[in-house]
Structures are given as C-alpha cells and as structure tokens.
Amino acid sequence: MTMTYGQLKQAILDYTENNETSFVANLPLFIRLAEERILKNVQLNLFKKNQFGNMTTGNQYLAAPSDFLAPFSLSIEVGNNKEFLLFKDLDFVQSYTPNAATTGQPKYYAQFDVDNFIIGPTPDANYVVDIHYLYRPASLTAGSDSGTSWLSENAEITLLYGALIEAYTYMKGDMNLMQMYMSRLAEGIARLKNLGEAQETIDEYRMGRVQRQRT
C-alpha cells in the first residue's frame, strides 16, 4: 500500500488526536526523524550509489558526496586498473601519514568530518576516484502532499510507527501506547532488514533459501 505525504500527516493526526498548532507544525520533523531512524538501522541495496570524482596532487582530503551516509568502497584508477583503498579509522590514517607533505599512491581512507575523507598517503597524482556508498534519499517531506518516496510506498507501516514514536515523544504520551508503537516499529525494521540483508543479497538458486532459527 502506498502512502502519500499528505496521507501520512493525516494518519499521525488521526492516531494522536492532536491538532495543536505547534504539533502540526512539527509533523515534517517527526517524519524526517523516522526516516533517519530507518535508514540508520537498515541497509538496502536500493540506497547504494556510485559517484566519480578526483583526488588532487598534494591534497590529503577528498570531498564526500553531499548525500553520503556510509562507504562501501573507494577505488582509484592506476593505469588501466582499479586499485581499492582500505577504509580505516581516522587515527590510523593520520598515524600512517603524520606529515601531510609525504606523498604516494593512496592506500587508505577514513572519514575526516561530515564533508570530507582523509587519504593516506597524500596523493602523488591527480587520481580519478570511484566511490560506492550508502546515500540518504530525499525526504518524503521535501515534496508535495501528493508525493511519495520508496519508504512511503514499500515500508509505510514502518514509516508510520516511526513517526508516531517521534510524535508521542513530543507529546510525552502514554508509555503503554508508546511501547506498542515501538514494538510495531521493531517488527517493520526486522522485515526491512530481511529484505535488505537477506533477500536482496542472496541468490537462492545458488545459495538456497535463508534459514532462520525459530523463536
């Protein structure tokens, strides 16, 4: 079942029976927080992306994509080959190349801050970079009331209960009801994790069905 942005906002109002002005104004925030919770708990192949860029000679920093969440791989072109860098802790990369003026073919990278990676050693040439990463899709709240997103089309229950948790936290609502919402959210996230970390990544013809212990 698909849920539009407008339908989701109305569902939150109906569940909470709250039309207070500041509460209504915060509906987009509740939805964005729910989206963030889901994205940080579930790894879906649908939210993977590749982007090309360039390392600059003598510059140990590489700008991260604006929608970057987490890395899968980073490679550079060396001749006709791709050389993959190893993702390490920031301390490791800084210790490996304590002097930023020391250049060489890059071997390691780490996330330096929200907007940049740090490379070790500092690039000795202008390398073409291919980064494969988990990205943050546009929020449902960025569109019109008739708009949808992948989550609102394929994980509407998870998105609804995630938003209700944020709404009830704002309202300081009944804890018994909050526990029920959290249980429903956990069920939804478990189903998404099954999709993203099992069904999307397993070839049943070669590997067989995923078997899970019964609880």
Side-chain angles (χ1 to χ4, degrees), residues 63-187:
S66 59
D67 55 0
F68 174 85
L69 275 179
F72 288 110
S73 68
L74 188 151
S75 63
I76 58 175
E77 292 184 8
V78 181
N80 294 322
N81 299 317
K82 273 193 172 185
E83 298 288 340
F84 286 85
L85 279 62
L86 297 177
F87 187 66
K88 294 288 188 178
D89 291 334
L90 175 61
D91 292 346
F92 178 94
V93 176
Q94 290 178 321
S95 298
Y96 184 80
T97 312
N99 184 353
T102 303
T103 62
Q105 181 178 314
K107 295 182 179 179
Y108 307 105
Y109 73 109
Q111 191 159 2
F112 182 75
D113 57 25
V114 174
D115 299 315
N116 297 280
F117 300 112
I118 186 171
I119 310 299
T122 301
D124 59 353
N126 297 327
Y127 293 96
V128 174
V129 177
D130 181 8
I131 181 169
H132 189 204
Y133 64 101
L134 181 69
Y135 76 97
R136 179 182 284 104
S139 172
L140 176 64
T141 64
S144 65
D145 279 356
S146 61
T148 61
S149 66
W150 189 93
L151 289 176
S152 75
E153 291 177 350
N154 299 279
E156 67 280 355
I157 294 175
T158 311
L159 185 57
L160 170 61
Y161 283 106
L164 284 172
I165 287 172
E166 301 301 336
Y168 256 66
T169 300
Y170 177 89
M171 292 171 59
K172 301 177 177 61
D174 177 75
M175 285 307 299
N176 290 329
L177 195 54
M178 177 76 83
Q179 288 297 323
M180 185 190 75
Y181 289 163
M182 292 181 71
S183 176
R184 295 286 179 85
L185 175 63
E187 290 174 7

